[in-house]
Amino acid sequence: MTEGDTRNSQRMGPDSLGCGPHIPALSESSRPLRQQIFERVRAAGSIPRVQVAKELAISPATVTTLTSELIEMGLVEEIQAPRDGESGRGRPAVALGVRASAHLVAGIKLAERENTAVIVDFAGNLIADLAAPRQSQVMELPALVETIDDLLARICAKAGITRDALSAVGLGVPGFVDAADGVAHWSPILVARHVPLARAVEARLGLPVRVDNDANLVTLAELWFGAGRRLSDFAVVTIEHGVGMGFVLNHRIYRGARGLGMELGHTKVQLDGALCRCGQRGCLEAYVADYALAREATTALNWTSRETQSTNMLLESLYDHAKAGNAAARSIFHRAGRFLALGLANVVNLFDPELIILSGERMRYDYLYANETLAEIQALALNTGRPAPKIEIHAWGDLLWAHGAAALALSAVTEGLLAPGREIAAQ
Ligand SMILES: [Zn+2]
């Protein structure tokens, strides 16, 4: 045996029979066929059986068998669709659609300034929505659960239903959230760390609850209802109190090995740089988030007398000054924009997304995404000679995020019914 052979046999242990990755039977890419059919019907809105067979490259007989099961389960129904190219002659074609009334779910987003909630049906139609201002304060878990209970009661009343009509609740909170086990490891709205949030809320509401961080929720909203429906790989970067990111890889949210990935706000853009609220230095968030802008405003504009003002009011004043031509105010936004460009160029170089969506309240501060910022991203991303990914600004409100929470609940219901045992992989 040569030296090389020895090294090889040491590298491969007794588990080295065969080669290639061990992919579990029900992995992300091989969902049960019945579930794939359901997802195809849901995405299309209305689709004939023959088209489903064609798109999934399976026999029409298989589609007929599996859709009968879906119809029997009450998840899918036959709908009459007008035939193309025929002037009303003969029987109308029969298509399949999701039975909208099969399930109702609630989506709730808790934020530092405003809580929002929606109720949607099984086909994703909005039934009711609600926005409630919130005192910006860190809460103990029982108070937070109380707030959620109260929000749910109010949105149910608005929808004219009782809460037992709901099949699941999706819940979004800012911070580090492990979606798989429903634990909020850290959140700016919670005093404690490592809080088993999903379990606590489930116990109070008596309903299945899925929890995720707010950046993933807005990404889900884009994936389910927005610009990302037809894209396989895209990023959503959220800028408000912090800088968050959600990433879709092959039409699914990428969550990392331990459910805590994509913390763009805490990637470092400066060695030993500005102090971040996570306790480390040089994080992107420490240069771009609202508290970072407010900190600079207080210093550069000599606003020490305004230290008692809310961050929001400080930022509004800062924006007004910048618009009026104040050089110091402008330079604060300009510098933040350059750091943002640095962070986004890193995203481009790492992931090569088709699209980057910038989303969040700060989007109204157009200095952050001025043409200079976009040009800077181009300059910092690798020059391959190909066009750079598109960057879109979506300055939508908190209700969008609640929609993402509803998508989380919808997928939990679907996974529970069609892929038992895989509920935690819901998205
Ligand atoms: Zn940080």
Side-chain angles (χ1 to χ4, degrees), residues 5-270:
D5 287 333
T6 312
R7 267 207 301 273
N8 263 347
S9 61
Q10 278 172 349
R11 186 162 50 87
M12 302 190 201
D15 189 29
S16 66
L17 284 178
C19 71
H22 284 278
I23 299 173
L26 288 181
S27 70
E28 286 289 279
S29 53
S30 62
R31 296 170 335 279
L33 203 46
R34 195 173 59 175
Q35 186 185 356
Q36 290 184 46
I37 292 174
F38 175 80
E39 288 170 354
R40 191 59 56 131
V41 171
R42 183 174 61 196
S46 129
I47 184 170
R49 285 183 176 84
V50 58
Q51 186 66 21
V52 174
K54 212 162 116 188
E55 289 183 12
L56 292 175
I58 52 177
S59 76
T62 306
V63 173
T64 303
T65 307
L66 294 178
T67 50
S68 306
E69 290 177 25
L70 290 169
I71 290 170
E72 217 161 90
M73 292 171 82
L75 306 180
V76 161
E77 62 188 0
E78 290 188 333
I79 48 180
Q80 305 295 324
R83 271 186 204 277
D84 287 342
E86 285 184 26
S87 50
R89 283 182 295 117
R91 285 193 308 138
V94 173
L96 299 169
V98 167
R99 198 166 72 87
S101 60
H103 292 277
L104 292 174
V105 300
I108 294 175
K109 189 224 174 187
L110 303 177
E112 284 177 80
R113 280 195 295 277
E114 190 181 50
N115 296 327
T116 46
V118 296
I119 286 179
V120 304
D121 67 22
F122 203 42
N125 302 307
L126 182 68
I127 305 297
D129 59 32
L130 179 80
R134 175 177 183 276
Q135 292 294 322
S136 184
Q137 59 179 7
V138 192
M139 287 173 133
E140 299 285 355
L141 180 62
L144 194 77
V145 172
E146 183 76 39
T147 305
I148 295 165
D149 194 24
D150 176 57
L151 265 175
L152 192 71
R154 287 167 61 192
I155 187 78
C156 282
K158 207 169 168 190
I161 59 166
T162 54
R163 71 174 58 180
D164 54 13
L166 295 171
S167 299
V169 176
L171 177 65
V173 292
F176 306 143
V177 179
D178 185 336
D181 59 12
V183 171
H185 288 286
W186 172 83
S187 173
I189 61 171
L190 266 170
V191 176
R193 287 178 176 240
H194 313 295
V195 175
L197 189 56
R199 220 171 48 219
V201 179
E202 263 177 5
R204 174 65 173 260
L205 304 182
L207 290 166
V209 174
R210 293 288 174 274
V211 182
D212 209 339
N213 81 40
D214 47 9
N216 276 344
L217 290 190
V218 76
T219 308
L220 271 180
E222 293 285 3
L223 181 65
W224 277 62
F225 304 105
R229 290 192 60 208
R230 292 181 187 279
L231 301 179
S232 64
D233 303 277
F234 67 94
V236 175
V237 174
T238 60
I239 305 160
E240 43 172 51
H241 301 285
V243 177
M245 177 159 120
F247 197 83
V248 168
L249 194 69
N250 194 19
H251 304 278
R252 318 278 289 180
I253 283 219
Y254 176 78
R255 295 183 189 280
R258 287 168 299 162
L260 288 171
M262 296 300 152
E263 287 295 342
L264 178 66
H266 303 282
T267 57
K268 307 301 180 272
V269 291
Q270 183 85 57

Side-chain angles (χ1 to χ4, degrees), residues 57 67 69 89 112 152 157 210 283 290 304 316 319 326 372 402:
T67 50
E69 290 177 25
R89 283 182 295 117
E112 284 177 80
L152 192 71
R210 293 288 174 274
C283 298
D290 60 359
T304 41
E316 292 296 339
Y319 186 53
N326 180 303
E372 295 154 56

Side-chain angles (χ1 to χ4, degrees), residues 240-241 243 265 269-270 272-316 318 328-329 331-333 335-336 339 362:
E240 43 172 51
H241 301 285
V243 177
V269 291
Q270 183 85 57
D272 297 331
L275 193 60
C276 176
R277 60 179 177 170
C278 75
Q280 298 191 331
R281 286 189 176 276
C283 298
L284 176 62
E285 193 169 299
Y287 295 91
V288 175
D290 60 359
Y291 66 89
L293 298 178
R295 178 192 59 213
E296 295 228 320
T298 336
T299 313
L301 304 176
N302 205 14
W303 281 353
T304 41
S305 60
R306 298 190 183 207
E307 266 167 355
T308 51
Q309 274 190 357
S310 73
T311 304
N312 207 24
M313 284 170 70
L314 266 175
L315 282 183
E316 292 296 339
L318 182 65
S331 79
I332 289 172
F333 281 110
R335 182 165 178 270
F339 274 104
R362 289 289 82 75

